[in-house]
Each structure stands twice: as C-alpha cells, then as structure tokens.
Amino acid sequence: MSDQNINSPQQNGELQRSLSNRHLQLIAIGGAIGTGLFMGSGKTISLAGPSILVIYMIIGFMVFLVMRALGELLLSNLQYKSFIDFATDLIGPWAGYFVGWTYWLCWITIGIADLSAIIYYLQFFNNGMPFSPEEGVMISIAAIVFIMGLNLVTVKLFGELEFWFALIKIIAIVVLIGVGFWMIFTGFTSTSGEIAAFSNIWSHGGIFPTGAIGFLAGFQIAIFAFVGVELVGTTAAETKDPETNLPKAVNSIPIRIIIFYVLSLLVVMSVTPWNKIDPNISPFVNLFSQAGIAAAAIIMNLVVLSSVMSSMNSGVFSTSRMLFGLSRETQAPEAFGTLNKRAVPANALYFSAVCLLLGAALQYFVPNTVEAFTLATTLSTILFICVWLMIIWSYVVYYKTRPELHAKSTFKLPGGLVTCAIVAIFFIGMIGVLALEDDTRRALMVSPIWFVILIIGYFGFYKKK
C-alpha cells in the first residue's frame, strides 16, 4: 500500500464510507431475515414443533452476543475494516488468513445454494415444471451477471439495493403477522376445519412434542437462517459515523429476531397446528392461501426470489471485501487489493464471480438441486460457526492484552470472558448436533477438506512471502 499522504480515500486505494445509517440498519435487518426463514421454517417446524420458538430465541441471543463482541472490537480501533484486521492484529497473521478465506468460502457456498434456490422457485413460473440442465445453467449465469453488474457500479448502489430487498422481506412478514392476527382474533376456520387460536401452540403435544431429539434436530436448520447477520461487520469500513450507527444496528438485532422470527412463526402455528404444516410447502404461502388471498403463491414466490437475490447481492459484496482485505495483508494476490475509479474492488468481484460460475456448472452435473442446496447450506453453516468462534477468540485476546481499550469502550460485550465461554461452548456443541442427521453429517465430513487446503495455501504460498 502506498505511504503517500493523499486526502482522497479512493485515490489512496481505500474503501470509502458511502453507506448511511438507513443502509446499515436495513442491511442488518436483511442479514437477520435469511432465506432459511422462508425456505426452511416448514421443515424445522415438522422436526421441532412449537419448540422452534425457543430454538430461534436461543440462537438469536447467542448470535447477538457474537455481534456485541464484534462491535466492541471494530470500535476499539477504527483502522479495523473487517474480521481479517482484528484477527491478524490480535491472534496473528494465520488467523486473519483463516478468517478471511473461510468467510469468503462461506458466501461462495451460499451463493451456489442460492443459485439452486433461484432455479427451484422459478419453476413456479414455469407451470411447476423443472428446467433442463442447460436452462438451469443459463438462469444461473444470468443471475450472476446481474448481481455482478449491480456490485460493480458503486458501494452506495449496493446499499440502496439491499435497502429495497430488505424492505420487501419486512413488508411481507409484517403483512403476514397482521393477517395472522386477524385470523386468530376472528376465530378463522380453515378449509380443513382447523380454528385459528393461540391454544394451537400448546394443545397438540405441548411445546416440546418431539422430545429432546426433535428439539436438537431443529437447531440444524434454524442456525442457517441466521448466517449473514454479521454482515454489519464487513460493511463497517464503508459506513458513515460507525461509532453511532454500528451500536444501533447491533443492539436492534434481538428486537428484530423476536418480531421477524418468533412472532411470525407464533402466528403461523396458531393459524395452523404444527403437526398439520407440510414441511415441503412454505408455511408463509400456506397462511396467505388459507386467508383466501388468491395471488398469495405468486406474491410469496416473488418475495422469496427477492430474498435469494438479496442473499446473493450481500454474498458477492462480502466476498469481494474479504479478498480486498486479504490482499492488503498480502494474504491473497495483489490484484485483489486494487479499486476501480468507483472505489469498488473490481478484480476481487471478478474472481468471486468466476467461482460462482463454477457453481452454475454444478446445476448441470448435479440434477438434484434440493440435495445440492442442503449440502451447500450445511457446509456454509459449519464455516460460519468457525468464523463466529474466531471473533470470540479475538475478543478474548483483546480483553486480556488491551485492557485499557476495553476499559474506555462505550460498547462493551456484557459479561466479558464468561459470555465468551458460554458462546464458544454453545457453538462447538452445535457442530456436534450437525452430526445427528445423515444429510448434515455428510457436509460435516466434507468440511475438513477446506481446512487442509487452507493449511497448504498458508504454508505453501503465504509463509514463503
């Protein structure tokens, strides 16, 4: 990096703080409302029953604590642009290398899963008929080119698009909650004879109808719904007034989880008893259909498609910023650390796009998109847990070695090291839970391959530099 004193961040090859509080708040909401809520909640309800409400509150609380640790770390030194910076500074160069490249792969795997989801949901508009492998590849390429085009323009455009993508999801859930409450308070009777009432939550086997095994199985899918919430951290480098806006975004996460996850699923299971919900159909679509809204299926499929596009948009943004940060630490090719005239890391974007195009090729070679989606999402969940644990590790080092910074912090992690221990034990336990089911166990067995590749890359290329 040049040592010249140039005033313009763009000229100096630095990321610009182009995102406003409005953008950051909606990016935080968008991250907290994952595709997993729309796509995976039906299956999670079938496994765990009403205890899904407890599951979401537990995971949400743990993720919130990770975000508080992340927030304190980023605000302790405004030179930190992302996880890479503080992991490198506090733990060592290998930690920055591990976090940066792992987080990059997290979003690449989600991007590949999103391509499968886009094809799956577009089948609705193809009279329910599956696309040919060639058509699947063309749809994937079109989606990648579209997202790439959006990200290449300006950071502000990324923020604006995420703002509207998130707004669509929020409106859909708020309308669903409103319609659900109307059905409950009017004693709405469905076509199958079920009467909407809050008592449906506990009158069909209680809160834990599937026992401890069903309760634990619910964590496997539910945890994927939360991946991406830490995106606030990667946007910190491009946010105006981070000391004010970052704490606002982080502190509002619990309220959003209660509203968008707990309240929406409480309404869904009050209208339709949990044991009558089809795991293969989105419970959101089902509720609108029962309310007699004819266009419900079309509306919700469009909402889910916008949610998937939002996930891809966030993913491409994140991967390019991770590669940019790795390059600046000489842990990735130098070309990834250059910005175009719009202050966007274009080369890093192109590389991520090529990797996503390889994912598009999978649509041709792996005909079972649902199986590919499950494998990709479980792998990304494992990798995200590793990143969250590295954030906690960084915080422990910071707490012990930089006591003066912690003492003057205005955004402290509640509980300090005790909280870190609880969060670490919880997420390590979650990796163990993923071994309980066959489909998630396969992804767990594949994940060590990535760590072998990282070790080879670190000692074979980076250390030699």
Side-chain angles (χ1 to χ4, degrees), residues 322-339:
M322 281 295 125
L323 292 180
F324 176 84
L326 284 164
S327 177
R328 289 307 174 93
E329 296 289 341
T330 67
Q331 295 177 339
E334 190 178 335
F336 295 161
T338 58
L339 302 176

Side-chain angles (χ1 to χ4, degrees), residues 23 75 78 95 101 117 125 161 172 190 221 240 249 270 325 337 400 404:
H23 294 133
L75 294 176
L78 292 181
W101 278 107
F125 301 99
L161 274 160
S190 69
I221 304 164
K240 298 170 185 173
S270 295
K400 290 181 175 179
E404 71 288 349

Side-chain angles (χ1 to χ4, degrees), residues 25 43 60 103 130 142 152 202 215 229 254 265 284 300 334 400:
Q25 293 293 327
K43 186 178 178 184
Y103 196 67
L152 277 170
W202 58 81
F215 180 65
V229 73
L265 292 176
F284 292 79
M300 282 311 298
E334 190 178 335
K400 290 181 175 179

Side-chain angles (χ1 to χ4, degrees), residues 54-98:
V54 180
I55 290 169
Y56 276 128
M57 284 192 281
I58 291 171
I59 298 172
F61 181 64
M62 292 297 173
V63 169
F64 168 66
L65 293 175
V66 173
M67 291 301 299
R68 283 297 299 255
L70 174 65
E72 184 178 343
L73 285 169
L74 288 171
L75 294 176
S76 71
N77 181 351
L78 292 181
Q79 295 303 308
Y80 291 156
K81 299 294 191 291
S82 68
F83 322 129
I84 300 173
D85 297 334
F86 63 65
T88 300
D89 183 36
L90 295 165
I91 303 175
W94 73 267
Y97 180 89
F98 174 86

Side-chain angles (χ1 to χ4, degrees), residues 440-463:
T440 53
R441 193 186 306 118
R442 282 197 294 273
L444 191 62
M445 291 168 68
V446 167
S447 59
I449 295 172
W450 171 246
F451 304 122
V452 172
I453 293 170
L454 277 184
I455 291 167
I456 293 169
Y458 183 75
F459 289 102
F461 297 97
Y462 170 63
K463 286 288 280 186

Side-chain angles (χ1 to χ4, degrees), residues 42 44-52 200-210 268-279:
T44 316
I45 290 169
S46 70
L47 286 170
S51 67
I52 185 177
N200 284 330
I201 298 292
W202 58 81
S203 58
H204 296 269
I207 302 296
F208 299 89
T210 56
V268 162
M269 290 185 289
S270 295
V271 172
T272 307
W274 75 271
N275 54 354
K276 300 290 176 65
I277 291 174
D278 187 341

Side-chain angles (χ1 to χ4, degrees), residues 106-183:
C106 284
W107 281 103
I108 291 295
T109 53
I110 285 183
I112 292 169
D114 286 338
L115 292 175
S116 297
I118 289 168
I119 293 166
Y120 182 78
Y121 278 98
L122 280 176
Q123 288 175 8
F124 174 82
F125 301 99
N126 192 40
N127 296 320
M129 298 296 292
F131 293 103
S132 68
E134 293 81 5
E135 288 171 330
V137 170
M138 292 306 295
I139 291 168
S140 297
I141 291 171
I144 292 167
V145 170
F146 175 65
I147 293 296
M148 277 294 299
L150 297 178
N151 272 268
L152 277 170
V153 183
T154 62
V155 174
K156 193 168 184 180
L157 179 64
F158 160 79
E160 202 61 40
L161 274 160
E162 273 307 290
F163 176 86
W164 291 106
F165 277 143
L167 201 59
I168 290 169
K169 289 189 275 190
I170 292 163
I171 291 169
I173 293 175
V174 169
V175 170
L176 174 128
I177 292 169
V179 170
F181 275 129
W182 170 79
M183 294 169 80

